[in-house]
Amino acid sequence: MRTRVRLESPVRAPDDIGGAAISWTDEGDVWAAIEATGAAQGAAFDAAPALSAFRVAINRRSDVRAGWRVTWGARVLRIAGVRDEGAPRIVLICEEERL
């Protein structure tokens, strides 16, 4: 675990027209081991985003949830799932989407 990353959680703030704006709250910096697991092309709204998948291992935390994100330098990884098998580390299944 040689990479320093930041964990962020979403915060919804209601707007004036009944919707909500999402902002991100810093949940702290952690050491991580990051492994690329694959890549794919998607198609949505006349764009072809490139999807990259990563496994991010961090020391055990009980508060990390799917829907959070990991910022890794200029990259932002969406946490799609958390694998917790009772070990000292948890694995975050992440996706990075770029247009």
Side-chain angles (χ1 to χ4, degrees), residues 3-4 7 9 17 24 28 35-36 39 43 52 54 62-63 72 82 88:
T3 306
R4 197 75 170 157
L7 296 173
S9 64
I17 58 172
W24 295 92
E35 174 188 356
S52 299
F54 294 89
S62 61
D63 60 342
W72 170 33
V82 178

Side-chain angles (χ1 to χ4, degrees), residues 8-84:
E8 297 177 341
S9 64
V11 176
R12 297 177 66 93
D15 62 16
D16 295 335
I17 58 172
I22 296 177
S23 61
W24 295 92
T25 301
D26 182 4
E27 296 292 342
D29 292 343
V30 296
W31 290 104
I34 301 173
E35 174 188 356
T37 59
Q41 287 271 169
F45 304 109
D46 294 331
L51 300 169
S52 299
F54 294 89
R55 253 182 260 171
V56 180
I58 63 171
N59 287 329
R60 173 177 292 287
R61 286 180 58 140
S62 61
D63 60 342
V64 180
R65 303 278 181 262
W68 283 28
R69 69 184 189 181
V70 174
T71 56
W72 170 33
R75 297 177 126 174
V76 177
L77 309 177
R78 182 180 59 83
I79 300 175
V82 178
R83 192 170 68 203
D84 184 355

